[in-house]
Amino acid sequence: MPRRPTRHRRSLNPQPLTFSSFSRSVAQVASSFKAKHRMQHSKQHRESAPKSAAKGEQSVSSDEEEFEGVVQADFAFFDPKANDFHGVKTLLQTYLDDKQWDLSGFVDLVLGQTTVGTVVKIEDDEDEGVFSLVTALNMQRYKDHKCILELKEFLLKACQEKDVQDNLISLLGEQAQYVGLLVSQRVVNLPPQLLPPLYDALFDEVSWATEDEPTEELKNSFRFKFYILVSKIYKNKNANKKKKLSSDSDEAIIYTKPEDEIFHRLSLWSFCFPLQTQQPATLELRNYRFMGLVMAIEADKISTFRQELKSLINES
């Protein structure tokens, strides 16, 4: 399939990115807790050329090295390939909380779909660590795979809101051919300036696939009308109570990924569910509960999302 990449190179100065000073502080605390568990390196030779690249700075801190500072890095976008298996699996380790499921099979689906999907690595680095992944999988196309069956079971069990359950059942069942599971996972300190070109790459590839895939069946598998996203947030323990939250320090939701606030605002419906995975016990998060967030977004809202994401990053 012909690729139509756009090359992005810019100077980056990453920082915790959310919509308030309090949220930025909390995001930084949460990030420091997780960062050391989200990196995976493989030592195999790189075989493919990057789709695009962006120059950036990455904050690095390690207990094993007497170094803490900023490292210059050239991040590049690549098509997924087999050598990315361990790096992608590490990024997706808690995608479904602590559920024991066919994660390896899910990673195989992600890596097997090379026409739509991107992994982010450091350009010309011998250690092929995967810093980010974004893709969209058709729920009907892969419906018989064990990992997708288990994912649907997980979502249906997690949804306890009756009015949302019927909508979820519909998207996972009779409308599945029009539904893309939008998977976006990354290390916590990835420069936020990479987000607009990363999502642009995904949605451009989805559009191109409807024209360039070799069969009508494959072309139709990317004609999405809806996207489902599974993410995580910090939700204020008093958010559902009648008592009004006071000031900036009592925000109802803190988003672990800044784009999720845009997706949430544009969503057709959403629901939250409690997580079993460990969360940082910090003073800043004492009034918050770590929660899963599932959202459904209509495909015709994606252009608005892309515009708002660019504005968010440019204004930060």
Side-chain angles (χ1 to χ4, degrees), residues 161-174:
E161 301 178 26
K162 178 59 179 175
D163 56 335
V164 176
Q165 280 181 345
D166 293 339
N167 292 323
L168 177 62
I169 291 172
S170 177
L171 288 192
L172 297 180
E174 61 189 42

Side-chain angles (χ1 to χ4, degrees), residues 144-160:
D144 294 325
H145 289 260
K146 180 182 178 183
C147 58
I148 298 300
L149 292 171
E150 291 175 330
L151 182 144
K152 291 195 292 186
E153 178 186 28
F154 175 87
L155 295 179
L156 291 170
K157 183 177 180 180
C159 182
Q160 299 298 312

Side-chain angles (χ1 to χ4, degrees), residues 1-7 48-52 77-80 112-119 134-135 198 200-210 212-213 222:
M1 167 182 166
R3 311 297 296 177
R4 315 178 203 181
T6 301
R7 191 169 184 82
S48 60
K51 299 178 183 179
S52 60
F77 296 174
F78 292 84
D79 292 329
Q113 182 178 278
T114 58
T115 56
V116 172
T118 297
V119 295
V134 64
T135 192
L198 188 58
D200 282 347
L202 172 67
F203 295 121
D204 284 346
E205 286 179 339
V206 168
S207 177
W208 300 336
T210 64
D212 298 338
E213 287 290 86
F222 292 103

Side-chain angles (χ1 to χ4, degrees), residues 264-275:
H264 202 184
R265 187 170 64 251
L266 297 175
S267 65
L268 184 63
W269 51 259
S270 65
F271 67 89
C272 295
F273 60 93
L275 293 171

